[in-house]
Amino acid sequence: MRRFAIVLLAVLASTALHAGESSPKERGYKTPAQAQAAWQKDVDDGRWGGPASQFSDGGVIARLKDIAAIQGVRENQLVGYGLVVGLSGTGDSLRNAPFTEQSMRAMLDNLGISPPAGASRSKNIAAVIVTANLPPFAGRGSRIDITVSSLGDATSLSGGTLVMTPLAAADGQVYAAAQGNLIVSGFTASGNAATVTQGTPTSGRIPNGALVEREVSGNFGQDGELLVELRQPDFTTVVRITDTINAFAKRRYNQPVAKERDAKSIRLRKPKDITAARFLAEIEGLPVPTDEVARVVVDERTGTVVIGEKVRISRVAISHGTLSVKVTETPTIIQPEPFSDGVTAVEPNTNIQVRQTSKIGVLGGTDLESLVKGLNQIGVKPQGIIAILQGIKTAGALHAELVVQ
């Protein structure tokens, strides 16, 4: 009987443990979906799966993959020099572009043909520069898009075909080869007295026009650590990302994996028994409350004004006036008396009108909506708003960074 009571107490204790807070080992989940669902439930209930961050409030919610990137996972730029053939009289003038003729002769020599110098004066060939971006993890045999731009005095590349062109990177190594028919959106039409050009007929694209011949070597995920870099550096956002990743990692891996390094980067420690690709796939979709710097961007050339949500203005009185001066000349013709020795004369008559209008308004905003309403009540044009914002900044009432482009 005593042994039965001991067993019963053990069963009840085990049941109570499962009904209450689970142990750290039992909080691990078999699949990312289970961990994500449990973590999201904690978020909805006001918990973050662990100690809440003091920086977790405010900001726009964005996915980690939309505001940050992995260091080393980037594109590489490629460039090459080639020839476009098959143009209908819109290519380079070989006399004005000697490099085109030289390139054509070199290409024909490689094909076993040796034409004499100056034997061809046709305008159906053009020298071009080919550019492309090699995406990360691009393997041999994959295709990438290329852009072809005229280098000589060709008037149009429409209907042309790019001859095989090697594309090299900054290290001088060839990573792809480009060839294909150009797609040109612009066109030009000319007559004896007029010429019409729409778009850019001297530039075109070839979708999937380059074939990757060499892979870019890298050590992605080999050392067990990854570095996440924010596109917009901010200390608050970095701390929020770190807290969010660690809250999820405690549920998924039973350990924190992130540590902030500076305002731009976060160091991640990859858990054991999981690949770097799967690890990033599980955390890059986490929602993160972002933060931004209060900034006002103005473009005086176009009159564009962009005001951030965090911008605040102290209460100020603004007087914005316009001065208009109108000068009207109404000369009077004076005729001499009959049979007199006088001559016809012109008597000047000038009328000057000065008009000055001014509006005084009180401007102050604790949020973006009230700030915009205050600017609209003054009733000024964008150029006037730019001048007002610059004046407010000089007065010290604009609590934001003013960027003038």
Side-chain angles (χ1 to χ4, degrees):
M1 185 67 180
R2 182 178 180 182
R3 181 177 299 177
F4 175 79
I6 294 175
V7 173
L8 180 60
L9 290 175
V11 173
L12 292 177
S14 177
T15 305
L17 177 62
H18 283 280
E21 181 67 25
S22 59
S23 63
K25 292 184 179 180
E26 291 170 344
R27 285 166 57 184
Y29 293 90
K30 298 295 184 181
T31 63
Q34 295 177 358
Q36 178 74 19
W39 180 84
Q40 187 63 45
K41 184 178 184 302
D42 288 335
V43 173
D44 297 337
D45 295 340
R47 302 191 304 272
W48 288 85
S53 171
Q54 57 180 328
F55 305 100
S56 60
D57 296 332
V60 177
I61 304 298
R63 296 183 304 175
L64 178 60
K65 66 193 307 182
D66 298 328
I67 61 176
I70 305 301
Q71 188 183 64
V73 181
R74 62 178 182 85
E75 295 180 338
N76 291 274
Q77 295 179 336
L78 306 179
V79 65
Y81 171 83
L83 293 175
V84 172
V85 298
L87 302 177
S88 180
T90 59
D92 294 341
S93 300
L94 300 185
R95 183 172 300 176
N96 297 332
F99 51 85
T100 304
E101 182 179 6
Q102 182 181 0
S103 302
M104 180 186 67
R105 294 181 58 191
M107 179 186 66
L108 294 178
D109 286 340
N110 293 332
L111 296 177
I113 303 174
S114 300
S120 176
R121 292 297 179 215
S122 62
K123 298 181 63 177
N124 61 352
I125 188 171
V128 295
I129 292 293
V130 183
T131 58
N133 289 329
L134 183 64
F137 312 117
R140 293 184 180 181
S142 59
R143 291 187 172 272
I144 57 177
D145 299 340
I146 62 174
T147 301
V148 182
S149 303
S150 175
L151 188 62
D153 59 351
T155 58
S156 177
L157 298 180
S158 179
T161 300
L162 176 68
V163 182
M164 185 169 56
T165 303
L167 302 180
D171 58 358
Q173 300 293 328
V174 175
Y175 286 87
Q179 183 172 277
N181 298 327
L182 270 73
I183 299 178
V184 180
S185 58
F187 73 91
T188 180
S190 61
N192 294 330
T195 300
V196 176
T197 301
Q198 183 175 351
T200 306
T202 55
S203 179
R205 290 181 57 84
I206 305 180
N208 297 326
L211 193 65
V212 178
E213 301 291 346
R214 182 196 297 265
E215 297 181 3
V216 178
S217 59
N219 57 350
F220 172 74
Q222 295 180 2
D223 53 358
E225 287 191 352
L226 301 170
L227 198 63
V228 178
E229 291 186 343
L230 268 67
R231 296 184 175 91
Q232 296 292 335
D234 185 79
F235 284 106
T236 303
T237 304
V238 161
V239 174
R240 289 174 177 173
I241 292 176
T242 303
D243 294 342
T244 302
I245 294 177
N246 286 334
F248 174 77
K250 290 177 182 178
R251 287 282 187 175
R252 178 70 175 94
Y253 315 112
N254 298 326
Q255 59 177 338
V257 297
K259 184 174 182 59
E260 65 277 3
R261 196 178 73 165
D262 49 36
K264 186 177 177 62
S265 57
I266 303 170
R267 191 176 299 276
L268 299 179
R269 184 179 67 257
K270 183 177 69 68
K272 297 181 180 180
D273 301 331
I274 186 174
T275 62
R278 182 175 294 274
F279 173 58
L280 291 177
E282 292 182 0
I283 68 172
E284 67 179 0
L286 296 179
V288 178
T290 62
D291 199 9
E292 65 275 354
V293 179
R295 184 178 289 117
V296 178
V297 181
V298 297
D299 191 339
E300 294 184 332
R301 293 173 298 177
T302 61
T304 303
V305 181
V306 179
I307 303 175
E309 183 183 5
K310 302 294 184 180
V311 174
R312 300 293 183 266
I313 293 181
S314 300
R315 192 173 180 85
V316 292
I318 301 173
S319 175
H320 181 79
T322 57
L323 177 66
S324 61
V325 180
K326 182 179 181 181
V327 180
T328 305
E329 294 285 352
T330 56
T332 303
I333 306 298
I334 301 177
Q335 297 289 348
E337 294 292 335
F339 306 103
S340 64
D341 295 335
V343 295
T344 302
V346 178
E347 180 181 2
N349 185 10
T350 303
N351 183 21
I352 301 178
Q353 297 179 354
V354 179
R355 182 181 179 183
Q356 185 173 7
T357 60
S358 179
K359 292 185 178 181
I360 301 178
V362 177
L363 185 63
T366 57
D367 55 17
L368 181 60
E369 184 177 359
S370 59
L371 174 58
V372 173
K373 287 182 178 179
L375 289 173
N376 290 333
Q377 288 177 358
I378 300 176
V380 294
K381 296 181 179 180
Q383 295 294 341
I385 294 179
I386 293 176
I388 290 174
L389 291 174
Q390 291 176 342
I392 296 175
K393 181 65 176 180
T394 304
L398 180 60
H399 309 295
E401 178 186 358
L402 182 61
V403 180
V404 181
Q405 297 179 347

